[in-house]
Amino acid sequence: MATERTVALIALRLAAAGTAVAMGAIHLRLWYDGYRYLDTIGTLFLLNAIGAGLLALSLLITPTRLLPVLATLGTLFAAATLVALIVSLTSGLFGFQETLDAKLVKPTLAVEAAGCVLLVALALLSRRGRMRPRSFRPLRGPR
Protein backbone atom coordinates (compact mmCIF):
# COMPACT_ATOMS: atom_id res chain seq x y z
CA MET A 1 0.00 0.00 0.00
CA ALA A 2 1.38 3.37 -1.03
CA THR A 3 1.82 6.02 1.62
CA GLU A 4 0.59 9.57 1.20
CA ARG A 5 4.21 10.70 0.78
CA THR A 6 4.78 8.19 -2.02
CA VAL A 7 1.65 9.30 -3.84
CA ALA A 8 2.64 12.94 -3.43
CA LEU A 9 6.15 12.21 -4.76
CA ILE A 10 4.74 10.47 -7.82
CA ALA A 11 2.26 13.30 -8.45
CA LEU A 12 4.98 15.95 -8.09
CA ARG A 13 7.34 13.99 -10.36
CA LEU A 14 4.69 13.77 -13.06
CA ALA A 15 3.63 17.40 -12.73
CA ALA A 16 7.24 18.66 -12.75
CA ALA A 17 8.07 16.47 -15.75
CA GLY A 18 4.98 17.85 -17.49
CA THR A 19 6.06 21.43 -16.93
CA ALA A 20 9.56 20.58 -18.18
CA VAL A 21 8.07 19.08 -21.34
CA ALA A 22 5.88 22.15 -21.81
CA MET A 23 8.85 24.47 -21.30
CA GLY A 24 10.91 22.53 -23.81
CA ALA A 25 8.06 22.37 -26.31
CA ILE A 26 7.53 26.13 -26.12
CA HIS A 27 11.23 26.81 -26.73
CA LEU A 28 11.40 24.30 -29.55
CA ARG A 29 8.28 25.78 -31.17
CA LEU A 30 9.67 29.30 -30.97
CA TRP A 31 13.03 28.11 -32.28
CA TYR A 32 11.26 26.49 -35.23
CA ASP A 33 9.10 29.60 -35.81
CA GLY A 34 12.12 31.82 -36.34
CA TYR A 35 14.12 32.31 -33.17
CA ARG A 36 16.73 29.95 -34.65
CA TYR A 37 17.87 32.79 -36.87
CA LEU A 38 18.74 35.03 -33.90
CA ASP A 39 22.40 35.06 -32.90
CA THR A 40 23.01 33.39 -29.54
CA ILE A 41 19.30 33.35 -28.63
CA GLY A 42 18.53 30.75 -31.28
CA THR A 43 21.17 28.37 -30.00
CA LEU A 44 20.07 28.92 -26.41
CA PHE A 45 16.44 28.15 -27.30
CA LEU A 46 17.45 24.86 -28.88
CA LEU A 47 19.67 23.97 -25.92
CA ASN A 48 16.85 24.86 -23.53
CA ALA A 49 14.47 22.54 -25.38
CA ILE A 50 17.00 19.69 -25.21
CA GLY A 51 17.76 20.38 -21.55
CA ALA A 52 14.07 20.48 -20.65
CA GLY A 53 13.52 17.15 -22.38
CA LEU A 54 16.42 15.60 -20.49
CA LEU A 55 15.10 17.04 -17.24
CA ALA A 56 11.63 15.58 -17.87
CA LEU A 57 13.05 12.15 -18.65
CA SER A 58 15.34 12.28 -15.62
CA LEU A 59 12.45 13.20 -13.34
CA LEU A 60 10.65 10.04 -14.43
CA ILE A 61 13.53 7.57 -14.14
CA THR A 62 15.75 8.83 -11.32
CA PRO A 63 15.74 6.74 -8.14
CA THR A 64 14.03 8.42 -5.20
CA ARG A 65 17.28 8.64 -3.22
CA LEU A 66 18.76 10.93 -5.92
CA LEU A 67 15.61 12.98 -6.39
CA PRO A 68 16.55 15.85 -4.02
CA VAL A 69 19.66 16.62 -6.09
CA LEU A 70 17.85 16.35 -9.43
CA ALA A 71 14.91 18.46 -8.27
CA THR A 72 17.29 21.14 -6.97
CA LEU A 73 19.19 21.22 -10.26
CA GLY A 74 15.88 21.27 -12.15
CA THR A 75 14.74 24.22 -10.04
CA LEU A 76 17.90 26.11 -10.95
CA PHE A 77 17.36 25.31 -14.64
CA ALA A 78 13.73 26.48 -14.61
CA ALA A 79 14.56 29.57 -12.54
CA ALA A 80 17.43 30.53 -14.85
CA THR A 81 15.14 30.19 -17.85
CA LEU A 82 12.49 32.33 -16.14
CA VAL A 83 15.05 34.98 -15.16
CA ALA A 84 16.40 35.06 -18.72
CA LEU A 85 12.88 35.73 -20.03
CA ILE A 86 12.30 38.47 -17.48
CA VAL A 87 15.64 40.10 -18.35
CA SER A 88 14.73 39.85 -22.03
CA LEU A 89 11.40 41.54 -21.31
CA THR A 90 12.89 44.36 -19.25
CA SER A 91 16.34 45.30 -20.49
CA GLY A 92 17.08 42.86 -23.30
CA LEU A 93 19.31 39.83 -23.48
CA PHE A 94 22.15 39.31 -25.98
CA GLY A 95 20.85 42.23 -28.00
CA PHE A 96 17.30 40.87 -28.12
CA GLN A 97 14.33 42.63 -26.50
CA GLU A 98 11.17 40.58 -25.97
CA THR A 99 7.71 42.06 -25.45
CA LEU A 100 4.91 40.80 -23.27
CA ASP A 101 2.64 40.67 -26.33
CA ALA A 102 4.98 38.31 -28.22
CA LYS A 103 3.85 34.81 -29.08
CA LEU A 104 3.84 32.41 -26.10
CA VAL A 105 5.42 34.83 -23.60
CA LYS A 106 2.56 34.72 -21.09
CA PRO A 107 2.20 30.90 -21.21
CA THR A 108 5.97 30.61 -20.86
CA LEU A 109 5.96 32.78 -17.74
CA ALA A 110 3.22 30.61 -16.23
CA VAL A 111 4.85 27.28 -17.14
CA GLU A 112 8.30 28.28 -15.90
CA ALA A 113 6.96 29.72 -12.65
CA ALA A 114 4.87 26.59 -12.06
CA GLY A 115 7.91 24.45 -12.83
CA CYS A 116 9.95 26.30 -10.21
CA VAL A 117 7.26 25.82 -7.57
CA LEU A 118 6.76 22.13 -8.37
CA LEU A 119 10.48 21.38 -8.43
CA VAL A 120 11.07 23.15 -5.11
CA ALA A 121 8.21 21.15 -3.58
CA LEU A 122 9.63 17.94 -5.04
CA ALA A 123 13.12 18.71 -3.70
CA LEU A 124 11.76 19.41 -0.22
CA LEU A 125 9.41 16.43 -0.07
CA SER A 126 11.96 13.97 -1.42
CA ARG A 127 14.55 15.22 1.06
CA ARG A 128 12.22 15.13 4.05
CA GLY A 129 12.21 11.36 4.38
CA ARG A 130 15.96 11.07 3.82
CA MET A 131 17.17 12.90 6.89
CA ARG A 132 18.08 10.63 9.77
CA PRO A 133 19.16 11.79 13.20
CA ARG A 134 22.77 11.24 14.08
CA SER A 135 23.25 8.44 16.52
CA PHE A 136 24.07 9.52 20.03
CA ARG A 137 27.32 8.23 21.40
CA PRO A 138 27.98 9.14 25.01
CA LEU A 139 31.48 10.15 25.91
CA ARG A 140 33.37 7.43 27.71
CA GLY A 141 34.99 8.31 30.96
CA PRO A 142 38.39 7.14 32.10
CA ARG A 143 38.67 3.38 32.62
Side-chain angles (χ1 to χ4, degrees):
M1 182 171 170
T3 65
E4 288 180 19
R5 181 177 175 274
T6 303
V7 171
L9 277 173
I10 292 169
L12 281 171
R13 273 185 192 242
L14 293 172
T19 58
V21 167
M23 186 171 62
I26 288 169
H27 282 85
L28 189 59
R29 176 59 192 229
L30 291 171
W31 178 84
Y32 181 77
D33 285 349
Y35 281 55
R36 63 183 159 185
Y37 300 114
L38 299 173
D39 290 335
T40 308
I41 297 291
T43 303
L44 292 175
F45 268 59
L46 184 58
L47 290 174
N48 187 285
I50 293 167
L54 291 173
L55 174 61
L57 180 63
S58 298
L59 285 166
L60 299 176
I61 66 172
T62 297
T64 304
R65 64 184 164 76
L66 299 176
L67 207 48
V69 174
L70 176 63
T72 301
L73 293 173
T75 301
L76 294 173
F77 176 77
T81 304
L82 181 59
V83 167
L85 176 56
I86 292 168
V87 168
S88 176
L89 285 166
T90 55
S91 61
L93 186 65
F94 300 114
F96 179 75
Q97 179 83 36
E98 189 65 83
T99 66
L100 201 53
D101 295 328
K103 183 177 180 180
L104 297 176
V105 168
K106 291 176 185 172
T108 302
L109 288 168
V111 166
E112 291 171 358
C116 288
V117 170
L118 290 168
L119 286 161
V120 165
L122 182 60
L124 293 174
L125 184 63
S126 61
R127 182 174 167 84
R128 191 184 79 183
R130 304 275 310 144
M131 297 176 67
R132 294 189 176 96
R134 294 182 181 173
S135 60
F136 175 74
R137 294 184 182 170
L139 296 174
R140 294 185 188 199
R143 292 187 190 210

